[in-house]
Amino acid sequence: MLKDFIKTALVAGALAISAGQIAAAADITLRATANSNENDEDYDGLVVFKNHIENASNGAIAVEIFMGTQICATGEECLQGIADSTIDIYMSTSGGAAGLFPYLQILDLPYLMNDDRVAEEVLSGPFTAELRDLALADSGDTIRLMTIGNTGGWRNFANTEHTIKTPADMKGMKLRTVPAELPQELVRALGASPTPIAWPELFTSLQTGVVQGTANGITDIMNMKFTDAGLKFITLDRHSYMAAFWWMSNERFQSLSDEQKTIVADAFYALQQATFASPKRKEIAAYEGFLEAGGEIYVPSEAEKAEFKAAVDPVFDWFKSSVPGGEDIFASFTAAVDEAEATVNEQRAVEIAN
């Protein structure tokens, strides 16, 4: 298998044409953006996406990648570009798209998925298609959800003050959140004070004490050098999977031939798999770097994790009562998780048999 993979990769590389040649020869050029940088899983996914499309189409479709805020700066602005077809492809977090599609916050609900295998099974299944249908309907058939990957692993609580073992250790702590409502409800339920802060401002906010903590994956923490701002303690509670929503202009997608649509769909599958894998590799060096910078890593016991789970019950009630369609999407998601857990457990049973 490994030899075949290497051979395939080498053949793909040999077939690849330079970016300039591709753009010149292409009949179609897709503009893709993510408001992150080239150290991020989003970029890894886009590179795989670009390579697949340009090779599979024999150069007929080109992909231009714009990282950061070159062509749009916020989730609202970028999604408007998708709706207007001025941008072809965009990656958002749930927080970046919650203003338009509040039910996407379902993936921010804490402690509902246990591990990567379960999360990947859920996001590769019919639940993603359900979200696609909802988003298409709510956007007037303009914004199409193509796939859901990962951007940074799992969210954990990190802070500048002390070890967090239970919710009692978070009481009164000011924690940075995104502007979306659900993360703020989560922080309140755990006894801390939510403080919405833009991502580029978080380093200074930690450094100056505006906030004492944040909920992020370790790769984001180390990419942004938050340890230099005093972030020293991280608790691996893994409360939510950092989902990446990949959107495409539905007008652009529908303008493609069936063969081209297949190429694009396959490319998004390859992108998803790349973003599933990337954080698992990158977090190894990130955790090592965190420890080398004087950081402390704490893994809660089962009893301590049970305290976190009990404390966040009000967040589920808030979601079901405050988000339009919240009851239905919560039921659908938890059913998808149950089904994924059953599937994964069956796979594990086969893997360890004999």
Side-chain angles (χ1 to χ4, degrees):
M1 289 291 290
L2 181 58
K3 288 173 67 177
D4 291 342
F5 175 83
I6 293 171
K7 181 178 178 182
T8 301
L10 289 172
V11 169
L15 290 174
I17 323 171
S18 74
Q21 290 172 310
I22 285 283
D27 299 320
I28 297 169
T29 299
L30 301 177
R31 289 157 50 91
T33 187
N35 299 145
S36 49
N37 58 56
E38 293 186 1
N39 294 320
D40 203 271
E41 293 80 10
D42 312 331
Y43 181 71
D44 294 345
L46 280 173
V47 169
V48 171
F49 178 83
K50 173 182 172 70
N51 183 70
H52 180 94
I53 282 187
E54 293 179 348
N55 288 335
S57 70
N58 197 27
I61 307 175
V63 177
E64 293 183 350
I65 298 174
F66 300 87
M67 299 303 294
T69 57
Q70 296 180 65
I71 57 176
C72 60
T74 66
E76 292 80 4
E77 182 185 352
C78 297
L79 286 170
Q80 186 61 54
I82 293 288
D84 296 340
S85 297
T86 57
I87 301 170
D88 298 307
I89 294 152
Y90 167 63
M91 190 290 293
S92 80
T93 60
S94 57
L100 285 175
F101 312 119
Y103 41 80
L104 296 183
Q105 295 178 91
I106 187 72
L107 284 162
D108 290 331
L109 286 175
Y111 309 116
L112 290 182
M113 296 191 290
N114 293 325
D115 56 42
D116 287 291
R117 287 187 74 166
V118 170
E120 291 168 12
E121 183 73 22
V122 170
L123 300 182
S124 300
F127 181 73
T128 295
E130 182 176 339
L131 292 180
R132 177 182 304 125
D133 291 343
L134 285 171
L136 277 169
D138 289 346
S139 67
D141 282 337
T142 61
I143 301 176
R144 183 183 188 87
L145 178 63
M146 298 301 297
T147 193
I148 306 176
N150 184 265
T151 178
W154 293 79
R155 288 193 187 278
N156 299 293
F157 292 113
N159 76 97
T160 61
E161 303 298 305
H162 54 247
T163 304
I164 295 173
K165 296 183 178 181
T166 69
D169 297 319
M170 299 175 67
K171 187 173 178 60
M173 184 178 288
K174 290 182 290 185
L175 287 183
R176 178 263 177 179
T177 70
V178 296
E181 292 181 85
L182 191 148
Q184 296 179 58
E185 292 294 328
L186 170 61
V187 168
R188 290 191 191 97
L190 293 169
S193 176
T195 307
I197 291 175
W199 182 246
E201 299 170 12
L202 181 52
F203 183 98
T204 302
S205 298
L206 288 166
Q207 192 175 48
T208 58
V210 173
V211 291
Q212 289 85 46
T214 183
N216 288 106
I218 189 63
T219 55
D220 286 338
I221 287 170
M222 296 310 294
N223 284 343
M224 297 297 287
K225 304 185 187 302
F226 288 155
T227 50
D228 292 346
L231 203 68
K232 297 297 182 186
F233 303 91
I234 187 166
T235 297
L236 303 187
D237 70 309
R238 293 164 63 90
H239 56 271
S240 63
Y241 188 79
M242 297 180 68
F245 298 84
W246 289 89
W247 308 96
M248 185 169 182
S249 161
N250 193 46
E251 180 181 353
R252 176 64 117 170
F253 183 75
Q254 298 300 345
S255 73
L256 303 175
S257 67
D258 286 349
E259 180 181 0
Q260 291 168 337
K261 288 178 181 177
T262 299
I263 290 171
V264 169
D266 286 348
F268 273 111
Y269 172 81
L271 175 152
Q272 180 196 52
Q273 297 304 304
T275 66
F276 283 164
S278 182
K280 298 169 190 170
R281 178 182 64 82
K282 290 182 175 179
E283 70 178 14
I284 298 170
Y287 279 121
E288 289 175 353
F290 187 77
L291 292 172
E292 288 171 2
E296 175 190 293
I297 299 172
Y298 183 75
V299 180
S301 67
E302 287 301 316
E304 289 165 342
K305 197 160 185 177
E307 289 191 50
F308 281 102
K309 290 181 178 180
V312 301
D313 276 346
V315 183
F316 302 143
D317 295 334
W318 173 88
F319 181 87
K320 288 184 280 188
S321 63
S322 301
V323 173
E327 286 271 7
D328 291 340
I329 201 71
F330 183 84
S332 181
F333 180 68
T334 51
V337 172
D338 289 344
E339 185 175 342
E341 286 178 346
T343 299
V344 169
N345 287 335
E346 288 177 8
Q347 293 169 347
R348 286 171 174 150
V350 171
E351 291 161 2
I352 65 175
N354 303 322

